[in-house]
Amino acid sequence: MEAAAAAAAAAAAAAAAGGGCGSGPPPLLLSEGEQQCYSELFARCAGAAGGGPGSGPPEAARVAPGTATAAAGPVADLFRASQLPAETLHQITELCGAKRVGYFGPTQFYIALKLIAAAQSGLPVRIESIKCELPLPRFMMSKNDGEIRFGNPAELHGTKVQIPYLTTEKNSFKRMDDEDKQQETQSPTMSPLASPPSSPPHYQRVPLSHGYSKLRSSAEQMHPAPYEARQPLVQPEGSSSGGPGTKPLRHQASLIRSFSVERELQDNSSYPDEPWRITEEQREYYVNQFRSLQPDPSSFISGSVAKNFFTKSKLSIPELSYIWELSDADCDGALTLPEFCAAFHLIVARKNGYPLPEGLPPTLQPEYLQAAFPKPKWDCQLFDSYSESLPANQQPRDLNRMEKTSVKDMADLPVPNQDVTSDDKQALKSTINEALPKDVSEDPATPKDSNSLKARPRSRSYSSTSIEEAMKRGEDPPTPPPRPQKTHSRASSLDLNKVFQPSVPATKSGLLPPPPALPPRPCPSQSEQVSEAELLPQLSRAPSQAAESSPAKKDVLYSQPPSKPIRRKFRPENQATENQEPSTAASGPASAATMKPHPTVQKQSSKQKKAIQTAIRKNKEANAVLARLNSELQQQLKEVHQERIALENQLEQLRPVTVL
Amino acid sequence: MAVCIAVIAKENYPLYIRSTPTENELKFHYMVHTSLDVVDEKISAMGKALVDQRELYLGLLYPTEDYKVYGYVTNSKVKFVMVVDSSNTALRDNEIRSMFRKLHNSYTDVMCNPFYNPGDRIQAFDNMVTSMMIQVC
């Protein structure tokens, strides 16, 4: 136990080096035994707020997901059990950084334990003291307190109890020490520890500080009562010293149990690298966000997409730049899924006040993330479900999608499809709700919010609202899925959609304004030509133009080899609208076959005349298409203007209020 | 090794400039500035037809009594200028080339960062540059 305590401090210091504590303690190395003991202690303290101590594993299970902080009460008791003077304890608390950050994360806890060991060895309470080899800190352990606390979790939900905690803390201090004055002046400093205690087991549902503080206060009141104690929590006064013999035994048993549970939950629990380890919920959330930007989980998010997305987190540009540097390990200007998760995690950590690390922590390395959270199956499943449900939609949407897939084929970047497919995704959400094991398809905002809440236990402890806001800000913009900015050199799928889905553009244009920038219209002539060419087959569906466009398309196809695959797909559409759906594969070879006789025929006839005629037709059609595009863009522009006016009105309304 | 490293943008304003002896920085800034003329001279001397074949490493731009100035130009006319101590005779051309290559790679990485606006001051070079510079006693 003692060895473990020292080990934990070293581990904590190592974690601090990882970036948890910032200017706090220097890096330490914990021995194995130290690490074990410290982690157990920490789990105990963290779990102390959770529930009955009798249920060790379930409790640890509750504790595990995102155990971020040790509840201040058990920690305080533990420290008092070390039988150091209160002044020393306060020094230690200060040094380990808990006061600065407002709670006892594993980092702080371990450092504190190491400092306690140092103090008990007679060394001055300094950061330097913990750099050397130390025996483990000794605690007069008793398992009573924990039991009491745990016994009343059910009753204790509710409001903040900062003041009651303060008073109880004061009382306990007085009991413990003769230095009343110091205690009284210093005990208020303990209350910050109380206010943001994060009871990991509660974090899924309840604002942590509240539940625990209540727990704490009632637990304190029950101090004098007899205890059944299995959790070896600290009981300061003489009552504990009465039973060191028996208690260490029980202590050992619970230690072993909690230790084993901790070991098996190590992957998920926040361990020494606590701020930089991604929990399951966080990971899911990040993957969802990734998918909202880029449907294919195995490809990248381009730099500009990621930039827009991360800018919404409202961090400063230099910080975002630094985070990008850290997370883009291969420096290719694009983020793969693990890189994206790392970047997102860093952003979240930064928003919660963690200083950015010097280098990418090992738990955020892409290889580590790939290994730790390989979810290809899940991703594929989701992806497949998306693609499966694609055919389930109505024909126009199918056509839409076909066009999109055709555009996909042409586009170099996978990125551009996200707006389109995400649009589909929203429409498909209802259909694939059941298919998905996760709540991705459901109302994206609220589950994601709750996920974010779950995923941020440490942050919740003292900045819950900011996290939610950050998450919401991070979420809201992604949820209006169509990101028209993601254009590619060829005709953007947006254009196609607008031309051929008269109903869809209405909705799409409604969704378009939220994204800040309108798509940079790609103006290279080739794209125009290509868009014309692509639109041609679409137009050809209109019966009036069917016949005309076929030779035109022929020529167009002939003259623009790169676009051939797409036109081949659409070729049969000329003949029959029913062929639209199977056009992709079957029509491909068919049209290829039909293509071949045509050039020969062309050659035989007067080339020039036909060429001119086809060119004229092409241009006319292009004109028509462009005119239509123009009108639709004008509509969009009007809508955007209206929105802008509405926003300005709102601003005006708000302004007088602030002036007053 | 290097005493001063500077990254100059295409429009000849500095994106990043750093020198090791913190005193007399102005002197190094001035040297870098004057070396830009030499760089332009070397670039234009190549001629338009040879733009593709122009080597990025320009070599020794000019020696002064205490220092030697080396230059390197990228294809986008971003110039790297390095000032080294003349007394450091052990420094060979290949080493200078490799240092420029490292600089170029770091510059590319900075460019890849979507949060970097081309034309801004570069903040990200420091770690790499300090490894190149030694503390001049």
Side-chain angles (χ1 to χ4, degrees):
Chain A
M1 215 299 279
E2 300 179 350
C21 266
S23 64
L28 283 184
L29 283 174
L30 292 180
S31 66
E32 194 58 35
E34 284 183 340
Q35 199 155 6
Q36 283 181 10
C37 189
Y38 283 10
S39 59
E40 289 158 30
L41 282 176
F42 181 73
R44 220 166 302 117
C45 288
S55 57
E59 184 184 3
R62 252 176 297 150
V63 165
T67 299
T69 66
V75 168
D77 290 331
L78 183 73
F79 286 1
R80 281 193 295 276
S82 67
Q83 299 189 331
L84 293 173
E87 184 187 16
T88 315
L89 288 177
H90 282 302
Q91 262 184 316
I92 290 174
T93 318
E94 240 176 331
L95 272 178
C96 78
K99 267 178 54 186
R100 189 167 40 83
V101 297
Y103 59 85
F104 266 110
T107 319
Q108 293 82 21
F109 187 77
Y110 295 154
I111 292 166
L113 288 173
K114 187 98 179 183
L115 284 169
I116 289 174
Q120 285 175 342
S121 314
L123 296 174
V125 177
R126 291 278 179 276
I127 296 297
E128 297 80 64
S129 317
I130 56 179
K131 285 185 180 165
C132 53
E133 279 295 308
L134 289 170
L136 290 178
R138 293 171 293 282
F139 297 96
M140 301 304 295
M141 306 296 286
S142 83
K143 300 125 198 150
N144 35 31
D145 251 10
E147 190 66 34
I148 302 306
R149 293 171 213 283
F150 310 151
N152 307 313
E155 309 163 8
L156 309 176
H157 298 287
T159 57
K160 283 183 238 180
V161 214
Q162 213 162 348
I163 297 175
Y165 176 79
L166 178 57
T167 55
T168 53
E169 194 62 39
K170 270 193 193 174
N171 295 336
S172 58
F173 265 117
K174 279 181 190 160
R175 267 180 287 157
M176 170 181 165
D177 227 324
D178 300 330
E179 305 162 11
D180 289 348
K181 291 171 194 168
Q182 284 174 340
Q183 291 158 20
E184 285 180 13
T185 53
Q186 286 165 352
S187 58
T189 64
M190 291 298 280
S191 56
L193 294 178
S195 49
S198 57
S199 315
H202 290 303
Y203 77 95
Q204 300 234 356
R205 282 151 213 100
V206 172
L208 302 172
S209 53
H210 310 168
Y212 181 70
S213 335
K214 251 301 176 62
L215 180 64
R216 196 65 196 88
S217 58
S218 73
E220 281 288 350
Q221 293 156 14
M222 298 178 63
H223 254 305
Y227 334 100
E228 315 104 63
R230 255 192 21 189
Q231 285 285 334
L233 269 199
V234 183
Q235 182 57 320
E237 297 64 310
S239 56
S240 64
S241 57
T246 55
K247 281 169 187 162
L249 277 179
R250 280 178 277 167
H251 176 68
Q252 280 296 326
S254 54
L255 258 181
I256 294 167
R257 195 180 313 109
S258 62
F259 178 77
S260 59
V261 173
E262 238 186 356
R263 277 285 175 246
E264 73 191 37
L265 296 162
Q266 189 168 356
D267 284 340
N268 290 340
S269 70
S270 305
Y271 220 67
D273 296 328
E274 173 253 328
W276 310 118
R277 191 172 283 263
I278 301 183
T279 65
E280 272 301 315
E281 293 82 4
Q282 286 176 328
R283 170 83 181 191
E284 289 169 26
Y285 179 72
Y286 299 155
V287 174
N288 293 342
Q289 290 298 317
F290 184 92
R291 196 169 285 106
S292 76
L293 296 176
Q294 166 56 262
D296 181 0
S298 60
S299 74
F300 329 114
I301 295 185
S302 80
S304 48
V305 176
K307 175 180 176 177
N308 288 338
F309 181 71
F310 289 139
T311 314
K312 296 188 191 97
S313 70
K314 304 284 192 289
L315 283 181
S316 65
I317 294 290
E319 286 183 353
L320 287 170
S321 177
Y322 184 64
I323 287 177
W324 177 278
E325 270 173 59
L326 287 180
S327 56
D328 191 6
D330 47 3
C331 288
D332 57 355
L335 294 180
T336 60
L337 181 60
E339 287 174 349
F340 176 83
C341 290
F344 209 137
H345 196 73
L346 285 169
I347 286 179
V348 165
R350 184 73 189 104
K351 285 213 80 81
N352 298 348
Y354 285 96
L356 290 176
E358 294 296 321
L360 194 63
T363 51
L364 289 182
Q365 299 280 350
E367 308 82 24
Y368 176 87
L369 288 176
Q370 285 274 5
F373 296 99
K375 286 191 176 163
K377 219 170 138 192
W378 175 57
D379 292 341
C380 289
Q381 180 186 355
L382 285 172
F383 196 54
D384 290 341
S385 62
Y386 283 148
S387 53
E388 282 166 24
S389 41
L390 288 184
N393 276 11
Q394 316 106 6
Q395 215 177 13
R397 293 200 71 87
D398 279 338
L399 186 59
N400 212 3
R401 201 163 307 107
M402 270 172 14
E403 296 156 23
K404 290 166 199 169
T405 53
S406 68
V407 168
K408 238 192 244 186
D409 295 339
M410 290 170 23
D412 298 329
L413 296 172
V415 164
N417 301 306
Q418 64 204 10
D419 51 337
V420 169
T421 50
S422 54
D423 186 28
D424 287 339
K425 189 173 77 169
Q426 279 221 324
L428 299 176
K429 275 194 170 113
S430 55
T431 60
I432 51 180
N433 266 352
E434 312 81 12
L436 290 178
K438 317 282 176 174
D439 59 343
V440 171
S441 56
E442 284 170 352
D443 179 17
T446 48
K448 278 178 185 169
D449 276 341
S450 65
N451 276 343
S452 68
L453 279 179
K454 294 172 198 176
R456 310 281 131 73
R458 2 173 220 285
S459 61
R460 187 166 332 151
S461 60
Y462 65 98
S463 55
S464 53
T465 52
S466 67
I467 302 313
E468 297 171 29
E469 287 167 10
M471 282 310 116
K472 276 179 188 153
R473 267 185 242 118
E475 283 173 350
D476 283 344
T479 51
R483 288 180 177 273
Q485 298 86 332
K486 309 311 160 232
T487 58
H488 29 100
S489 60
R490 307 304 181 87
S492 60
S493 54
L494 192 60
D495 292 340
L496 297 176
N497 297 342
K498 281 201 270 192
V499 172
F500 303 111
Q501 306 300 327
S503 59
V504 173
T507 55
K508 277 181 89 84
S509 54
L511 290 166
L512 278 173
L518 283 178
R521 289 254 158 259
C523 288
S525 58
Q526 190 200 6
S527 71
E528 292 293 336
Q529 258 189 335
V530 169
S531 59
E532 295 166 18
E534 282 175 24
L535 295 173
L536 279 178
Q538 308 296 337
L539 287 176
S540 66
R541 265 183 285 122
S544 57
Q545 295 175 342
E548 292 175 351
S549 57
S550 48
K553 204 165 67 146
K554 211 174 33 176
D555 279 313
V556 169
L557 286 169
Y558 197 59
S559 60
Q560 294 182 0
S563 321
K564 261 183 192 166
I566 293 80
R567 270 173 223 87
R568 281 194 195 132
K569 283 182 196 168
F570 295 129
R571 240 192 137 260
E573 293 166 11
N574 292 341
Q575 294 133 18
T577 50
E578 309 87 58
N579 295 343
Q580 286 166 5
E581 276 190 296
S583 65
T584 49
S587 60
S591 55
T594 53
M595 275 277 299
K596 284 167 192 170
H598 286 291
T600 58
V601 171
Q602 233 181 342
K603 284 170 191 166
Q604 292 166 10
S605 59
S606 57
K607 257 190 215 173
Q608 289 177 352
K609 206 175 169 188
K610 276 206 178 176
I612 293 170
Q613 284 173 352
T614 52
I616 292 171
R617 264 181 242 121
K618 209 186 357 171
N619 287 334
K620 280 188 193 164
E621 283 154 7
N623 281 346
V625 168
L626 286 173
R628 207 181 301 181
L629 260 180
N630 189 21
S631 62
E632 282 172 6
L633 281 173
Q634 293 287 338
Q635 279 180 5
Q636 233 190 327
L637 183 63
K638 278 180 207 162
E639 285 164 15
V640 172
H641 272 312
Q642 286 169 4
E643 285 216 9
R644 182 182 151 208
I645 291 167
L647 284 172
E648 280 177 3
N649 284 340
Q650 282 183 9
L651 184 63
E652 285 301 317
Q653 287 166 11
L654 289 172
R655 237 183 239 152
V657 175
T658 55
V659 165
L660 288 173
Chain B
M1 293 186 268
V3 165
C4 170
I5 288 179
V7 178
I8 317 286
K10 181 178 172 186
E11 293 82 8
N12 286 340
Y13 61 88
L15 292 174
Y16 177 86
I17 181 162
R18 198 133 95 137
S19 42
T20 11
T22 44
E23 71 280 349
N24 267 348
E25 262 195 344
L26 200 56
K27 179 178 72 176
F28 292 121
H29 291 203
Y30 179 67
M31 280 170 73
V32 169
H33 189 257
T34 54
S35 68
L36 290 179
D37 280 335
V38 185
V39 171
D40 283 339
E41 198 183 301
K42 291 212 181 226
I43 298 178
S44 58
M46 301 272 190
K48 275 200 176 178
L50 297 174
V51 157
D52 290 338
Q53 301 158 23
R54 176 167 56 81
E55 205 189 277
L56 303 180
Y57 176 68
L58 299 175
L60 181 67
L61 296 178
Y62 66 88
T64 62
E65 183 183 333
D66 297 324
Y67 301 101
K68 292 194 263 201
V69 184
Y70 291 89
Y72 182 99
V73 185
T74 68
N75 282 326
S76 54
K77 295 286 195 305
V78 174
K79 306 161 188 78
F80 301 113
V81 176
M82 191 185 311
V83 181
V84 300
D85 210 330
S86 280
S87 54
N88 199 344
T89 49
L91 212 55
R92 291 201 325 256
D93 204 46
N94 281 337
E95 295 171 13
I96 308 275
R97 280 181 194 259
S98 69
M99 279 157 66
F100 273 128
R101 211 171 298 124
K102 273 202 290 182
L103 264 176
H104 196 172
N105 288 337
S106 314
Y107 179 73
T108 316
D109 292 341
V110 169
M111 283 295 130
C112 280
N113 189 332
F115 298 104
Y116 171 75
N117 292 322
D120 286 351
R121 294 262 159 154
I122 299 178
Q123 314 293 341
F125 265 15
D126 289 337
N127 290 340
M128 195 258 317
V129 165
T130 41
S131 68
M132 284 195 191
M133 293 185 178
I134 49 168
Q135 291 302 320
V136 176
C137 334

